[in-house]
Amino acid sequence: MGNAVQLAVMKLFEEEKDEEQHALQCSVKTDEVWSCCPKDWKPFSSHCYFISTDSASWSKSEEKCSSMGAHLMVVHSREEQDFITKILRRDAAYFIGLSDPGHRQWQWVDQTPYNESATFWHPGEPNNDHEQCVILIHPRSRWGWYDIPCSHEQKSICQMKKIYL
């Protein structure tokens, strides 16, 4: 990368509080356009993903993602879910960015329309009006979604758009 691009990247990821600089992992997309994710984030398609190793409530998890310029993961396709589940621990559960403000009106954190045909609920889910947040979990033979109380503490998956330079 040229010096101007390196300076722009360093400035973009400079933390005001502790002045720590974060590295980017980039790959050439086409004709000198670089597609980048922050260091330790995983790239897939046009997004970057960060797997949280600490547990928190759904709202605290979303706050943490937001503080990194991201949001809880929005699942757009089976391919995207298959990608992320290959790097998750099967003995853990992870909040995604789907919640229900009431009356089973599921909403994604980024306002992507909820599409019933692109959902991955485990059989019998969602199953409780008092469980208004969603986790990605591998309870038996496959990954899928459960609704759970938002106050429960789980790991989480953050998502942001790739940076193009």
Side-chain angles (χ1 to χ4, degrees), residues 23 45 47 55 84 103 105 114 119 137-138 152:
S45 187
H47 292 96
S55 295
I84 204 69
H103 311 296
Q105 299 296 312
Y114 176 72
T119 62
I137 189 168
H138 190 286
H152 284 196

Side-chain angles (χ1 to χ4, degrees), residues 124-136:
E125 298 288 334
N127 65 356
N128 188 322
D129 286 344
H130 300 291
E131 297 177 337
Q132 297 177 305
C133 290
V134 180
I135 55 171
L136 182 54

Side-chain angles (χ1 to χ4, degrees), residues 56-59 61 72-73 75 81 93-100 104-109 114 119-122 125-128 131-137 144-152 154-157:
S57 68
W58 189 92
S59 60
S61 296
L72 284 169
M73 181 183 181
V75 180
Q81 180 160 301
Y94 301 84
F95 278 123
I96 60 173
L98 187 60
S99 65
D100 169 24
R104 292 296 164 199
Q105 299 296 312
W106 296 102
Q107 295 179 351
W108 289 106
V109 290
Y114 176 72
T119 62
F120 307 100
W121 295 104
H122 276 291
E125 298 288 334
N127 65 356
N128 188 322
E131 297 177 337
Q132 297 177 305
C133 290
V134 180
I135 55 171
L136 182 54
I137 189 168
W145 303 351
Y146 276 5
D147 59 337
I148 67 166
C150 299
S151 59
H152 284 196
Q154 303 290 339
K155 294 177 180 356
S156 59
I157 307 163

